[in-house]
Amino acid sequence: MTGKEDRPTSPIFDTVEGKRVARASQDGWRRWGPYLAERQWGTVREDYSADGDAWVYLPHDHARSRAYRWGEDGIAGFSDEKQRWCLSLGLWNGADPILKERMFGLANAEGNHGEDVKELWWHLDAVPSHAFQRMLYRYPQGPFPYDDLIAENARRKGKDEPEYELEDTGILTGDRFFDVTVDYAKGAPDEILMRVTIVNRGPEAKTLHVLPQLVARNIWSWRDDAPKPALTPETKDAVRATHPLMEAMRFEALQPATWLFCENETNARRLYGEPVEGAFKDAINDHIVGGDASPLPSSGTKCAALSIHELAPGESLTLRYRFAPPSAEPLTVTGFDRLAAKRQDEADAFYAALQQGMQDEDARLVQRRALAGLLWSKQTYRYNVKRWLDGDPAQPAPPEERRQGRNADWTNLDNSEVILMPDTWEYPWYASWDLAFHAMAAALVDPDFAKQQLLLLTREWYMHPSGQIPAYEWNFGDANPPIQAFAALRVFRMDQAATGKPDLDFLERLFHKLTINFTWWVNRKDSRGRNLFQGGFLGLDNIGVFDRSAPVPGGGTLEQADGTAWMAMYALNLMRIALELSTRNPVYEDIATKFFEHFLVIASAMARVGQTEGDKDGDGLWDEEDGFFYDELVLPDGSEEKLRVRSLVGLIPLCAVEVLDPGLADRHPGFARRLGWMLRHRPDLTQQVSHYEDRGRNSRMLLSLLRAHRMRAILTRMLDEAEFLSPFGIRSLSKAHAKAPFTLDRDGISASVDYEPGTSTSGIFGGNSNWRGPVWMPLNVMLVEALAEFDRFYGDGLKVECPTGSGQMASLSEVADELAQRLTRLFLKDAKGERPALSGAAPRMVDGTELILFNEYFHGDTGQGLGASHQTGWTALVALLLQNRV
């Protein structure tokens, strides 16, 4: 579709914040934002070990003493987009063994379900220009139970044991904690206001040390004679910040503070026993907590504005700080609060415009919180693989083993951009398919930034010369599902609806790179040349009988229903993009035809039924008896066996669908001629999939892997509450496997898959990820979109029972709406006033403010949030579902 120039634009761009977002790139409003991770320790980037055990190489206990090479972290962090100057919050309750400067959690081997953050915080608000941000951190008043959390979770090593959380330790009993709210407001693109509000929730008066910190990321310890930033006192209330790569800035406190300085450098004395002296990265910690009598320096590259306060029970305290150019006008407390209130009002007006027509107040709250978490999860991501492998001139050479280890063949990768992360603790690194979902959600409020994010991974300093898109930091060479073209079309249409203009330049830039990536898939992931694809775990982690990224037990290959369906969808998406581009350059019609042909051969290979008794290639991946798609195990002797696991793997083929509107011949005459030729001359391909000669509602044409009877068969299972359909969306595995697990015995290895609606007992991938029964937001959203697309063709001409066995017939559009409503029920209050995703002992309310977390996935029966607790990356897609209800 080409759109019309006179289409109405989104009302968000009529607001002050919307106008700011529209000019963010030109005016610099995105230059500063919440770009600090909550965890830089334990990441691949900081791992210079021989064995690649990142968690062990730089654990939490080392983080306060070791200068990071590639980034910074902090609580409620805010920085410039290059992460040169980093603001964050330090706290000390007088009882902890260390300053609270960063989020604590368990390393992968320490948690009984894998890596696991053990802190409490909530993202309360944010706007895309970052002119206003708010978050709440909950800080215990007693000694933070580091050792207890480690020891008890170690005792609960069995996968069936629940995780031992901060609330379980008793440290918060009797409300013995401080609630610390951090607001950021911008007076101008480079004027950052930081307001810290502390409330003593406990029954006794307590003292709190508050230490807002300004840190220069270490850029000088890695090569000789590198220029060095400096923080020096300017007045009793302010510090001057000079940087060789930036204009000078000024960090000031609007109330009395004691300025403490040290160097953001590694304490080799503490970590390695080297006889060195100096005020290193942990010197402020040692000065306050350890009572180190050694004087701190009068300047440095890290500083803190210390103030100490005793708060009575229920007492509230507000502290104010500003980081701005020295030329900024003086600011009083009254002026500070007036400006912050103005920015909050502008945020309210922005979301009011976005949510026009959304009558449900609770839905508006959930959507705004989901988008706040998404926007807080932006992070500056720096990682130059070649430099990481080679080491730095001023540092010891890394072990040679690393050149045969992780990411060794990705020496082209040189990342240094702000990226929407899955979250900034459990996943403080991007993943390619996660980022596609993040962009879709972000397009609601900042379509320009969403487009930039999709383009990013196709740039030459990301994309491998072979055409592969980097998967994720732990192994860039893995394959994530190729959904970039799907996301591009979604963002393109959202952007066009918001601005009234189709950004064909965006589509064209992305299209050329994605065609290279498509070719990579065809050449690398179809081992037998049958148009049936492998791909490995494809983001679904432990959904399979065995690790699909590892060699098949006993040899052979695994032809994947999901991998093949993703490729069919990829071909259709690229075909659609080519047709969009052909509206201004007819040459793209030829390319559209090429991808249409790709779709046909993939679809035919996947969907065809057995043809002759001796034809081993005849079965495809469809099982007519079960009415479902399965992965197929192909053994070295040529024998084949379907792995009859009813999982999302067999539902993903629904997503490969495209409906062509009437008038195709008028708009794309060349494509229409070649389409007609294929229909007439290649019935061997076209008759295996949808009936192309049949026209649907309004004479539309359907391109799909599924004929109607196969769709009905799959939907009968998908909409069965005894199989896939849960009260809160589609389960990742059929509940039928609870009574009938699938078991595979081969070469002395026995493996099985059974329904696990919560935490998985499978250790295939480690970590806390589980695709064996819970509800996952991203693929549910894709299924909702696929059903809506099918409805454009069928309309009321195809109805299915929903739920299966209920006797209630529904159109595919009504089924899509039903699934969307079930997904939003995860977060919306039910009849009892409870939010299913927040079941359990998690805090829910403070001073009338709802505390909502957006988990990685959700219990397949109860809806309880599980896995990573702040994954507002793809779970922020709930904001799209709520918007579509308007």
Coordinates of all heavy atoms in Angstrom, one line a residue, residues 815-880:
V815 N -11.7 -14.5 16.6 CA -10.7 -15.3 17.3 C -9.5 -14.5 17.7 O -9.0 -14.6 18.8 CB -10.3 -16.5 16.4 CG1 -9.2 -17.3 17.1 CG2 -11.5 -17.4 16.2
A816 N -9.0 -13.6 16.7 CA -7.9 -12.8 17.0 C -8.2 -11.8 18.2 O -7.4 -11.6 19.1 CB -7.5 -11.9 15.8
D817 N -9.4 -11.3 18.2 CA -9.8 -10.4 19.3 C -9.8 -11.2 20.6 O -9.4 -10.6 21.7 CB -11.2 -9.8 19.0 CG -11.1 -8.7 17.9 OD1 -10.0 -8.3 17.6 OD2 -12.2 -8.4 17.4
E818 N -10.3 -12.4 20.6 CA -10.4 -13.2 21.8 C -9.0 -13.5 22.3 O -8.8 -13.4 23.5 CB -11.1 -14.5 21.5 CG -11.2 -15.5 22.6 CD -11.9 -15.0 23.9 OE1 -12.8 -14.1 23.7 OE2 -11.7 -15.6 25.0
L819 N -8.1 -13.8 21.5 CA -6.7 -14.1 21.9 C -6.1 -12.8 22.5 O -5.4 -12.8 23.5 CB -5.8 -14.6 20.7 CG -6.1 -16.0 20.2 CD1 -5.1 -16.4 19.1 CD2 -6.1 -17.0 21.4
A820 N -6.3 -11.7 21.8 CA -5.8 -10.4 22.3 C -6.3 -10.1 23.7 O -5.6 -9.6 24.6 CB -6.1 -9.3 21.3
Q821 N -7.6 -10.3 23.9 CA -8.2 -10.0 25.2 C -7.6 -11.0 26.3 O -7.4 -10.5 27.4 CB -9.7 -10.2 25.1 CG -10.4 -9.1 24.3 CD -11.9 -9.3 24.1 OE1 -12.5 -10.1 24.8 NE2 -12.5 -8.6 23.2
R822 N -7.4 -12.2 25.9 CA -6.9 -13.1 26.9 C -5.4 -12.7 27.3 O -5.0 -12.8 28.5 CB -6.8 -14.6 26.4 CG -8.2 -15.2 26.3 CD -8.2 -16.6 25.8 NE -9.6 -17.1 25.7 CZ -10.0 -18.3 26.2 NH1 -9.1 -19.1 26.9 NH2 -11.2 -18.7 26.1
L823 N -4.7 -12.2 26.3 CA -3.3 -11.8 26.6 C -3.3 -10.5 27.5 O -2.5 -10.4 28.4 CB -2.6 -11.5 25.3 CG -2.2 -12.7 24.5 CD1 -1.8 -12.3 23.1 CD2 -1.0 -13.4 25.1
T824 N -4.2 -9.6 27.2 CA -4.3 -8.4 28.1 C -4.8 -8.7 29.5 O -4.5 -7.9 30.4 CB -5.1 -7.3 27.4 OG1 -6.5 -7.8 27.2 CG2 -4.6 -6.8 26.1
R825 N -5.5 -9.8 29.6 CA -5.9 -10.2 31.0 C -4.8 -10.5 31.9 O -4.9 -10.5 33.1 CB -6.8 -11.4 30.9 CG -8.2 -11.2 30.4 CD -9.0 -12.5 30.4 NE -10.1 -12.5 29.5 CZ -10.6 -13.6 28.9 NH1 -10.1 -14.8 29.2 NH2 -11.6 -13.5 28.1
L826 N -3.6 -10.7 31.4 CA -2.5 -11.0 32.2 C -2.2 -9.8 33.1 O -1.8 -10.0 34.3 CB -1.2 -11.2 31.3 CG -1.1 -12.5 30.6 CD1 0.0 -12.4 29.5 CD2 -0.7 -13.6 31.6
F827 N -2.5 -8.6 32.6 CA -2.1 -7.4 33.4 C -3.3 -6.6 33.9 O -3.2 -5.8 34.9 CB -1.2 -6.5 32.5 CG 0.0 -7.1 32.0 CD1 0.2 -7.6 30.7 CD2 1.1 -7.3 32.9 CE1 1.3 -8.3 30.3 CE2 2.2 -8.0 32.5 CZ 2.4 -8.4 31.2
L828 N -4.4 -6.7 33.2 CA -5.6 -5.9 33.6 C -6.2 -6.5 34.9 O -6.2 -7.7 35.1 CB -6.6 -5.9 32.5 CG -6.2 -5.2 31.2 CD1 -7.3 -5.3 30.2 CD2 -5.8 -3.7 31.5
K829 N -6.8 -5.7 35.7 CA -7.4 -6.2 37.0 C -8.6 -7.1 36.6 O -9.4 -6.7 35.8 CB -7.8 -5.0 37.8 CG -6.7 -4.2 38.5 CD -7.2 -3.1 39.3 CE -6.1 -2.3 40.0 NZ -6.6 -1.2 40.8
D830 N -8.7 -8.2 37.4 CA -9.8 -9.1 37.2 C -10.9 -8.6 38.2 O -10.9 -7.6 38.8 CB -9.4 -10.5 37.4 CG -8.8 -10.8 38.8 OD1 -9.1 -10.0 39.7 OD2 -8.1 -11.8 39.0
A831 N -12.0 -9.5 38.3 CA -13.1 -9.2 39.1 C -12.7 -9.0 40.6 O -13.4 -8.3 41.3 CB -14.2 -10.2 39.0
K832 N -11.6 -9.6 41.0 CA -11.2 -9.4 42.4 C -10.2 -8.3 42.6 O -9.7 -8.1 43.7 CB -10.5 -10.7 42.8 CG -11.4 -12.0 42.8 CD -10.6 -13.2 43.3 CE -11.5 -14.4 43.3 NZ -10.7 -15.6 43.6
G833 N -10.0 -7.5 41.5 CA -9.1 -6.4 41.6 C -7.6 -6.8 41.5 O -6.7 -6.1 41.8
E834 N -7.3 -8.1 41.1 CA -6.0 -8.6 41.0 C -5.5 -8.7 39.6 O -6.3 -8.9 38.6 CB -5.9 -10.0 41.7 CG -6.3 -9.9 43.1 CD -6.3 -11.3 43.8 OE1 -6.2 -12.3 43.0 OE2 -6.4 -11.4 45.0
R835 N -4.2 -8.6 39.4 CA -3.6 -8.8 38.1 C -2.9 -10.2 38.0 O -2.0 -10.4 38.8 CB -2.6 -7.7 37.8 CG -3.1 -6.3 38.0 CD -2.1 -5.2 37.7 NE -2.5 -3.9 38.0 CZ -3.3 -3.1 37.3 NH1 -3.7 -3.5 36.1 NH2 -3.7 -1.9 37.7
P836 N -3.4 -11.1 37.2 CA -2.9 -12.4 37.2 C -1.4 -12.5 37.1 O -0.7 -13.4 37.7 CB -3.6 -13.1 36.0 CG -4.9 -12.4 35.9 CD -4.6 -10.9 36.3
A837 N -0.8 -11.7 36.3 CA 0.7 -11.7 36.1 C 1.5 -11.4 37.4 O 2.6 -11.7 37.5 CB 1.1 -10.8 35.0
L838 N 0.8 -10.7 38.3 CA 1.5 -10.3 39.5 C 1.1 -11.1 40.7 O 1.2 -10.7 41.9 CB 1.1 -8.8 39.8 CG 1.5 -7.8 38.7 CD1 1.2 -6.4 39.2 CD2 2.9 -7.9 38.3
S839 N 0.6 -12.3 40.4 CA 0.2 -13.2 41.5 C 1.4 -13.6 42.3 O 2.6 -13.5 41.8 CB -0.5 -14.5 41.0 OG 0.3 -15.2 40.1
G840 N 1.3 -14.0 43.6 CA 2.4 -14.3 44.4 C 2.6 -13.2 45.4 O 1.7 -12.4 45.7
A841 N 3.8 -13.1 46.0 CA 4.0 -12.2 47.1 C 4.6 -10.9 46.7 O 5.0 -10.1 47.5 CB 5.0 -12.9 48.1
A842 N 4.6 -10.6 45.4 CA 5.3 -9.4 44.9 C 4.5 -8.2 45.3 O 3.3 -8.2 45.4 CB 5.3 -9.4 43.4
P843 N 5.2 -7.1 45.7 CA 4.5 -5.8 46.0 C 3.6 -5.3 44.9 O 3.9 -5.5 43.7 CB 5.6 -4.9 46.3 CG 6.8 -5.7 46.5 CD 6.6 -6.9 45.7
R844 N 2.5 -4.7 45.2 CA 1.5 -4.3 44.2 C 1.2 -2.8 44.2 O 0.7 -2.3 43.3 CB 0.2 -5.1 44.4 CG 0.4 -6.6 44.1 CD -1.0 -7.3 44.3 NE -0.9 -8.7 43.9 CZ -0.5 -9.7 44.7 NH1 -0.2 -9.3 46.0 NH2 -0.4 -10.9 44.3
M845 N 1.4 -2.2 45.4 CA 0.9 -0.8 45.5 C 1.8 0.0 46.5 O 2.2 -0.6 47.5 CB -0.6 -0.8 46.0 CG -1.2 0.5 46.1 SD -1.8 1.2 44.6 CE -3.2 0.1 44.3
V846 N 2.0 1.3 46.2 CA 2.6 2.1 47.2 C 2.1 3.5 47.0 O 2.1 4.1 45.9 CB 4.2 2.1 47.0 CG1 4.6 2.5 45.6 CG2 4.8 3.1 48.0
D847 N 1.5 4.1 48.0 CA 0.9 5.4 48.0 C 0.0 5.6 46.8 O 0.0 6.7 46.1 CB 2.0 6.5 48.0 CG 2.8 6.6 49.3 OD1 2.3 6.0 50.3 OD2 3.9 7.1 49.2
G848 N -0.8 4.6 46.5 CA -1.8 4.7 45.4 C -1.2 4.5 44.1 O -1.9 4.5 43.1
T849 N 0.1 4.2 44.0 CA 0.8 3.9 42.7 C 0.9 2.4 42.5 O 1.4 1.7 43.4 CB 2.2 4.5 42.7 OG1 2.2 5.9 42.9 CG2 3.0 4.2 41.4
E850 N 0.4 2.0 41.4 CA 0.4 0.5 41.1 C 1.9 0.2 40.7 O 2.5 0.9 39.9 CB -0.5 0.2 39.9 CG -2.0 0.4 40.2 CD -2.6 -0.9 40.7 OE1 -1.9 -1.9 40.8 OE2 -3.8 -0.9 41.0
L851 N 2.3 -1.0 41.2 CA 3.7 -1.5 40.9 C 3.5 -2.7 40.0 O 3.1 -3.7 40.4 CB 4.4 -1.9 42.2 CG 4.5 -0.7 43.2 CD1 5.2 -1.3 44.5 CD2 5.2 0.5 42.7
I852 N 3.8 -2.5 38.7 CA 3.5 -3.5 37.7 C 4.9 -3.9 37.0 O 5.7 -3.0 36.6 CB 2.6 -2.9 36.6 CG1 1.3 -2.5 37.2 CG2 2.3 -4.0 35.5 CD1 0.3 -1.8 36.2
L853 N 5.1 -5.2 37.0 CA 6.3 -5.7 36.3 C 5.8 -6.5 35.1 O 4.7 -7.0 35.0 CB 7.0 -6.7 37.2 CG 7.7 -6.1 38.4 CD1 8.4 -7.3 39.3 CD2 8.8 -5.2 38.0
F854 N 6.7 -6.5 34.1 CA 6.4 -7.2 32.8 C 7.4 -8.3 32.6 O 8.5 -8.0 32.2 CB 6.4 -6.1 31.7 CG 5.3 -5.1 31.8 CD1 5.5 -4.0 32.6 CD2 4.1 -5.3 31.2 CE1 4.5 -3.0 32.7 CE2 3.1 -4.3 31.3 CZ 3.3 -3.2 32.1
N855 N 7.0 -9.5 32.9 CA 7.9 -10.6 32.9 C 8.2 -11.1 31.5 O 7.6 -10.8 30.5 CB 7.4 -11.8 33.7 CG 7.5 -11.4 35.2 OD1 6.6 -10.7 35.7 ND2 8.4 -12.0 35.9
E856 N 9.2 -12.0 31.4 CA 9.6 -12.6 30.2 C 8.6 -13.6 29.6 O 8.3 -13.6 28.4 CB 10.9 -13.4 30.4 CG 11.6 -14.0 29.2 CD 12.9 -14.7 29.6 OE1 13.2 -14.9 30.8 OE2 13.6 -15.1 28.7
Y857 N 7.9 -14.4 30.5 CA 6.8 -15.2 30.0 C 5.9 -15.5 31.2 O 6.1 -15.0 32.3 CB 7.4 -16.6 29.5 CG 8.3 -17.3 30.4 CD1 7.8 -18.3 31.3 CD2 9.7 -17.1 30.4 CE1 8.6 -19.0 32.1 CE2 10.5 -17.8 31.3 CZ 10.0 -18.8 32.1 OH 10.8 -19.5 33.0
F858 N 4.8 -16.3 31.0 CA 3.8 -16.4 32.0 C 3.2 -17.8 32.1 O 3.1 -18.5 31.1 CB 2.6 -15.4 31.6 CG 3.1 -14.0 31.4 CD1 3.6 -13.6 30.1 CD2 3.2 -13.1 32.4 CE1 4.1 -12.3 30.0 CE2 3.7 -11.8 32.3 CZ 4.1 -11.4 31.0
H859 N 2.9 -18.2 33.3 CA 2.4 -19.5 33.6 C 1.3 -19.9 32.7 O 0.3 -19.1 32.6 CB 2.0 -19.6 35.1 CG 1.8 -20.9 35.6 ND1 0.7 -21.7 35.4 CD2 2.6 -21.7 36.5 CE1 0.8 -22.9 36.0 NE2 2.0 -22.9 36.6
G860 N 1.4 -21.1 32.2 CA 0.4 -21.4 31.2 C -1.0 -21.7 31.7 O -2.0 -21.7 30.9
D861 N -1.2 -21.8 33.0 CA -2.5 -22.0 33.6 C -3.0 -20.8 34.5 O -4.1 -20.4 34.4 CB -2.5 -23.3 34.5 CG -2.3 -24.5 33.7 OD1 -2.6 -24.5 32.5 OD2 -1.7 -25.5 34.2
T862 N -2.0 -20.2 35.2 CA -2.4 -19.1 36.2 C -2.1 -17.8 35.6 O -2.7 -16.8 36.1 CB -1.7 -19.3 37.5 OG1 -0.3 -19.1 37.3 CG2 -1.9 -20.7 38.1
G863 N -1.2 -17.7 34.7 CA -0.8 -16.4 34.1 C 0.3 -15.7 34.9 O 0.7 -14.6 34.6
Q864 N 0.8 -16.3 36.0 CA 1.8 -15.6 36.8 C 3.0 -15.3 36.0 O 3.5 -16.1 35.2 CB 2.2 -16.5 38.0 CG 3.2 -15.9 38.9 CD 3.6 -16.8 40.1 OE1 3.1 -17.9 40.2 NE2 4.5 -16.4 41.0
G865 N 3.6 -14.1 36.2 CA 4.8 -13.7 35.5 C 6.0 -14.5 36.0 O 6.2 -14.7 37.2
L866 N 6.8 -15.0 35.0 CA 8.0 -15.8 35.3 C 9.2 -15.4 34.5 O 9.1 -14.5 33.6 CB 7.6 -17.3 35.0 CG 6.5 -17.9 35.8 CD1 6.1 -19.2 35.1 CD2 6.9 -18.2 37.2
G867 N 10.3 -16.0 34.8 CA 11.5 -15.7 34.0 C 12.0 -14.3 34.4 O 11.8 -13.8 35.5
A868 N 12.7 -13.6 33.5 CA 13.2 -12.3 33.7 C 12.1 -11.4 34.1 O 11.0 -11.4 33.6 CB 13.9 -11.7 32.5
S869 N 12.3 -10.5 35.2 CA 11.2 -9.8 35.8 C 11.0 -8.4 35.1 O 9.9 -7.8 35.4 CB 11.4 -9.6 37.3 OG 12.7 -9.0 37.5
H870 N 11.9 -7.9 34.3 CA 11.7 -6.6 33.7 C 11.8 -6.7 32.2 O 12.3 -5.7 31.6 CB 12.8 -5.7 34.3 CG 12.6 -5.3 35.7 ND1 13.0 -6.2 36.7 CD2 12.1 -4.2 36.3 CE1 12.7 -5.6 37.9 NE2 12.2 -4.5 37.7
Q871 N 11.4 -7.8 31.6 CA 11.5 -7.9 30.1 C 10.4 -7.1 29.4 O 9.6 -7.7 28.7 CB 11.6 -9.3 29.7 CG 12.1 -9.4 28.3 CD 12.9 -10.7 28.0 OE1 13.1 -11.5 28.9 NE2 13.3 -10.9 26.8
T872 N 10.4 -5.8 29.6 CA 9.5 -5.0 28.9 C 9.8 -4.8 27.5 O 9.3 -3.9 26.8 CB 9.3 -3.6 29.6 OG1 9.6 -3.8 31.0 CG2 7.9 -3.1 29.5
G873 N 10.8 -5.5 27.0 CA 11.1 -5.5 25.6 C 10.0 -6.1 24.8 O 9.1 -5.4 24.4
W874 N 10.0 -7.4 24.6 CA 8.9 -7.9 23.8 C 7.6 -8.0 24.6 O 6.5 -8.0 24.0 CB 9.3 -9.3 23.2 CG 9.6 -10.4 24.1 CD1 9.2 -10.7 25.3 CD2 10.4 -11.6 23.6 NE1 9.7 -11.9 25.8 CE2 10.4 -12.5 24.7 CE3 11.0 -11.9 22.5 CZ2 11.1 -13.7 24.7 CZ3 11.7 -13.1 22.4 CH2 11.7 -14.0 23.5
T875 N 7.6 -8.1 25.9 CA 6.3 -8.1 26.6 C 5.6 -6.7 26.5 O 4.4 -6.6 26.7 CB 6.5 -8.5 28.1 OG1 7.1 -9.8 28.1 CG2 5.2 -8.6 28.8
A876 N 6.3 -5.7 26.1 CA 5.7 -4.4 25.9 C 4.8 -4.4 24.7 O 4.0 -3.5 24.5 CB 6.8 -3.3 25.7
L877 N 4.8 -5.5 23.9 CA 3.8 -5.7 22.9 C 2.4 -5.6 23.4 O 1.5 -5.4 22.6 CB 4.1 -7.0 22.1 CG 5.3 -7.1 21.3 CD1 5.6 -8.5 20.9 CD2 5.2 -6.2 20.0
V878 N 2.2 -5.8 24.7 CA 0.8 -5.7 25.2 C 0.3 -4.3 24.9 O -0.9 -4.1 24.8 CB 0.8 -6.0 26.7 CG1 1.5 -5.0 27.5 CG2 -0.6 -6.3 27.2
A879 N 1.2 -3.3 24.8 CA 0.8 -2.0 24.5 C 0.1 -1.9 23.2 O -0.8 -1.1 23.0 CB 2.0 -1.0 24.6
L880 N 0.6 -2.7 22.2 CA 0.0 -2.7 20.9 C -1.4 -3.4 20.9 O -2.4 -2.9 20.3 CB 0.8 -3.6 19.9 CG 2.0 -2.9 19.2 CD1 2.7 -3.9 18.3 CD2 1.6 -1.7 18.4

